[in-house]
């Protein structure tokens, strides 16, 4: 229950007993209209009151009644009106009065027993050990950024898109940003398209790239743009600096270089498995000759495009689409590419469950699901690529990554209680969650004792599908009788050993 519910705790009891003033009674009634938890508590209080009322007809146990009569002696047979008659000495009430006394004592005895039972169960119930989760968005985006950089063909532009979300002062309209043409000499040679993407992944090890990029992101209301400076030093990573409209630097971040291995699942393999690949040659970006690779979905619509430098393999520009409109774009408007070694075709391996095998990820997910975590091997049409926990045993958080090489969905689950409104989010009734729309979309909500946060660089519809996959039970609410039951369950379990 909320703090408003806590403030009405005593008034709820008075409301049940009919002991409130008209003003307080109206206040409680108004609150009950919109609060299911308080309505349940009032119903339970009424049940206890009715139980006590039904016990009013019971008499005190016979041994207790006989003991009271024996104490009174012969005087117990005299009418109670003679009790204070000085001529007759002390006298006890009549048989009718004794019956009433017995009924009252019985009611008090039953009430005392019920109160003792209730208090015992209340204090025996375990106290809540849910840690407060103030704002999971930052941790979730950090996990997403690390995973997406390894499991998709994005380059350092992903870091620029994520910085743009946190720096609204950098955003301007998209005016003046000229997107490169995707049209050239078309070819449906999928093998050659895969080779181009392999070169784009490997180019980070063989080139030094400096220049300025434009970043575009479609929000709910308009397409925003920003300027970013890139300074790539091969295996050292890329320094990404977001620029203010006046050219000054607002913030910088170091995007680590992508790790290359000869084993594992490449993002290019994921893309080729889920999409049809083609390419157009003879195009240009920022004065560089390039070819553009297109990944088309099952309906033939482009899901993503990559512009790859013909000479060095550097990823010059990329765009993702939501249906027939642009979702995000990032690429060079000014670039200085300096190759220092021949560009090879070494595959860049995706990190899958720490061992390079999606089967291992599925096995880990099955084990975690049996422990109560939400961890399916497929979600919103995307395969599970990676799953990890904060500790090997008795974990308190779980991170799962789903993707197809074009879109990545990161799911962070943390045991705890969401303690406030996440920064930059608004409540979405349709999702049943807090939601943020930007270059990178995310949503977070409470279900039971777990806080879920879903982050993606995919479309708004992908975010909706992903969020709908997971439970939405609302926060855990323990009522008065519910806590008593929980306490007695714990007592009986201890007695049974």
């Amino acid at each position: 229950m909320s703090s408003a519910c806590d403030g009405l705790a005593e008034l709820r009891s008075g409301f049940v007993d009919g002991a409130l003033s008209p003003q307080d009674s109206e206040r409680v009634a108004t609150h009950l209209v919109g609060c299911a938890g308080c309505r349940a508590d009032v119903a339970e209080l009424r049940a206890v009151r009715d139980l006590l009322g039904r016990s009013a007809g019971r008499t005190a146990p016979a041994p207790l009644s006989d003991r009271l009569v024996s104490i009174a002696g012969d005087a117990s047979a005299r009418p109670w009106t003679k009790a204070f008659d000085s001529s007759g000495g002390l006298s006890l009430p009549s048989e009718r009065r004794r019956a009433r006394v017995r009924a009252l004592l019985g009611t008090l005895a039953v009430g005392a027993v019920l109160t003792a039972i209730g208090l015992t169960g209340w204090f025996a119930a375990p106290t809540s050990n849910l840690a407060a989760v103030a704002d999971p968005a930052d941790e979730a985006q950090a996990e997403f950024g690390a995973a997406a950089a390894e499991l998709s063909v994005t380059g350092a532009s992903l870091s620029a898109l994520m910085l743009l979300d946190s720096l609204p002062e950098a955003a301007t309209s998209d005016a003046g940003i000229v997107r490169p043409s995707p049209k050239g000499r078309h070819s449906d040679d999928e093998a050659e398209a895969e080779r181009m993407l392999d070169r784009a992944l490997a180019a980070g090890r063989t080139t030094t790239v400096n220049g300025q990029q434009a970043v575009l992101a479609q929000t709910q209301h308009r397409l925003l743009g920003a300027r970013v400076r890139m300074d790539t030093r091969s295996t050292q990573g890329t320094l990404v600096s977001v620029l203010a409209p006046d050219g000054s630097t607002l913030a910088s971040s170091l995007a680590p270089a992508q790790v290359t291995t000869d084993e594992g699942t490449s993002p290019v393999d994921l893309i080729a498995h889920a999409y049809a690949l083609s390419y157009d040659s003879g195009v240009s970006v920022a004065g560089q000759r390039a070819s553009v690779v297109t990944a088309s979905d099952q309906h033939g619509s482009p899901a993503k495009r990559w512009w790859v430098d013909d000479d060095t393999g550097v990823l010059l520009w990329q765009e993702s689409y939501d249906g027939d409109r642009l979702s995000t774009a990032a690429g060079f408007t000014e670039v200085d590419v300096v190759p220092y070694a021949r560009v090879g075709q070494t595959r860049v391996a995706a990190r899958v469950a720490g061992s390079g095998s999606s089967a291992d990820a599925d096995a880990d997910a099955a084990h975690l699901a049996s422990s109560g975590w939400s961890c399916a091997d497929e979600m919103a049409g995307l395969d599970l690529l990676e799953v990890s926990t904060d500790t090997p045993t008795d974990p308190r958080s779980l991170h799962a990554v789903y993707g197809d090489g074009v879109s990545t969905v990161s799911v962070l689950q943390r045991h705890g209680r969401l303690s406030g409104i996440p920064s930059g989010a608004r409540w979405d009734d349709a999702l049943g969650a807090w939601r943020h729309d930007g270059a990178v979309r995310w949503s977070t909500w409470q279900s039971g004792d777990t806080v879920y946060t879903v982050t993606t660089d995919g479309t708004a519809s992908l975010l909706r599908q992903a969020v709908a996959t997971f439970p939405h039970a609302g926060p855990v609410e323990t009522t008065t009788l519910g806590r008593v039951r929980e306490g007695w369950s714990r007592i009986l379990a201890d007695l049974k050993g």
Side-chain angles (χ1 to χ4, degrees):
M1 294 184 182
S2 65
S3 58
C5 300
D6 295 339
L8 294 175
E10 295 184 4
L11 292 181
R12 288 197 297 272
S13 179
F15 182 80
V16 171
D17 294 334
L20 298 182
S21 66
Q23 295 83 355
D24 286 340
S25 181
E26 181 178 356
R27 177 186 171 194
V28 175
T30 301
H31 178 77
L32 292 178
V33 171
C35 183
C38 285
R39 288 199 301 271
D41 200 31
V42 166
E44 291 182 351
L45 288 172
R46 281 178 174 154
V48 172
R49 186 174 183 272
D50 291 342
L51 179 61
L52 291 176
R54 288 195 299 272
S55 70
R58 303 179 186 176
T59 62
L64 177 60
S65 299
D66 294 340
R67 178 62 177 163
L68 292 173
V69 171
S70 67
I71 293 174
D74 294 338
S76 64
R78 297 182 60 190
W80 72 272
T81 53
K82 302 294 186 178
F84 301 99
D85 188 340
S86 58
S87 64
L90 183 63
S91 177
L92 292 179
S94 65
E95 183 65 31
R96 186 190 311 179
R97 177 60 65 174
R98 286 201 302 273
R100 291 179 179 175
V101 169
R102 289 173 180 170
L104 176 60
L105 291 174
T107 300
L108 293 176
V110 172
V113 170
L114 290 175
T115 300
I117 291 174
L119 290 175
T120 301
W122 174 272
F123 288 110
T127 57
S128 175
N129 59 353
L130 292 182
V133 180
D135 191 343
D138 289 342
E139 179 185 356
Q141 289 189 71
E143 294 281 7
F144 165 79
E150 295 185 10
L151 299 172
S152 59
V153 184
T154 61
S157 297
L158 177 63
S159 295
L161 288 167
M162 296 182 71
L163 277 175
L164 178 60
D165 268 350
S166 62
L167 297 169
E169 62 270 30
T172 62
S173 69
D174 62 327
I177 297 177
V178 179
R179 294 162 52 197
S181 171
K183 300 299 183 182
R185 293 186 298 275
H186 184 74
S187 172
D188 291 322
D189 187 342
E190 293 201 2
E192 180 62 18
E194 288 184 46
R195 188 186 71 83
M196 291 179 182
L197 292 180
D198 281 332
R199 291 188 72 219
L201 287 174
R205 299 181 300 107
T206 60
T207 55
T208 296
V209 183
N210 298 310
Q212 184 167 289
Q213 284 195 355
V215 179
L216 298 172
Q218 179 67 56
T219 66
Q220 187 177 14
H221 303 293
R222 60 184 180 133
L223 187 65
L224 297 178
R227 302 286 180 176
V228 180
R229 181 164 296 281
M230 297 285 188
D231 185 3
T232 300
R233 297 297 177 183
S234 185
T235 57
Q236 298 176 17
T238 301
L239 182 65
V240 181
S241 301
V242 178
L243 307 179
D246 62 4
S248 61
T249 300
L250 290 173
S252 298
S253 174
L254 183 65
Q258 197 160 21
V259 179
T260 60
T261 69
D262 294 326
E263 299 179 354
T265 303
S266 167
V268 178
D269 292 335
L270 297 174
I271 296 168
H273 176 73
Y275 298 91
L277 292 177
S278 62
Y279 73 93
D280 287 72
S281 59
V283 299
S284 65
V285 179
Q288 302 290 117
R289 292 183 306 154
S291 297
V292 53
V293 178
T294 300
S296 300
D297 62 21
Q298 57 185 343
H299 304 294
S301 301
K304 192 159 186 175
R305 289 190 173 106
W306 300 265
W307 283 254
V308 181
D309 184 65
D310 287 340
D311 294 331
T312 65
V314 167
L315 184 59
L316 297 173
W317 189 277
Q318 58 187 298
E319 295 183 353
S320 60
Y321 307 93
D322 186 356
D324 58 354
R325 73 172 185 170
L326 182 71
S327 178
T328 62
F332 287 101
T333 55
E334 302 172 10
V335 63
D336 180 18
V337 181
V338 182
Y340 63 86
R342 182 176 178 81
V343 178
Q345 296 185 32
T346 301
R347 307 305 299 271
V348 179
R351 177 169 54 92
V352 181
S355 61
S357 171
S358 60
D360 291 335
D362 291 345
D364 290 342
H367 172 71
L368 291 166
S370 67
S371 302
W373 296 95
S374 299
C375 193
D377 57 4
E378 187 272 341
M379 185 270 304
L382 304 178
D383 292 330
L384 176 66
L385 302 178
E386 175 185 304
V387 61
S388 60
T389 56
D390 57 341
T391 59
T393 59
D394 193 23
R396 305 298 296 172
S397 69
L398 176 147
H399 180 233
V401 182
Y402 300 81
D404 59 8
V406 169
S407 299
T408 303
V409 175
S410 167
V411 182
L412 177 65
Q413 301 175 43
R414 288 182 57 185
H415 279 329
R417 182 179 294 274
L418 189 61
S419 60
I421 299 175
S423 177
R426 62 180 180 83
W427 181 257
D428 188 317
D429 286 328
L431 283 180
W434 297 100
R435 174 177 176 174
H436 169 83
D437 285 308
V440 174
R441 298 177 172 88
W442 55 264
S443 186
T444 188
W445 71 97
Q446 178 94 41
S447 181
D449 62 356
T450 303
V451 177
Y452 292 82
T453 306
V454 175
T455 309
T456 183
D457 56 357
T459 64
S461 60
L462 177 59
L463 177 66
R464 288 193 296 270
Q465 293 177 57
V467 170
T469 302
F470 296 95
H472 288 262
V476 175
E477 300 288 359
T478 303
T479 62
T480 301
L481 286 185
R483 175 162 177 162
V484 171
R485 293 191 199 100
E486 187 176 357
W488 274 103
S489 296
R490 187 178 187 182
I491 292 172
L492 293 175
D494 292 340
L495 291 175
K496 292 179 181 178

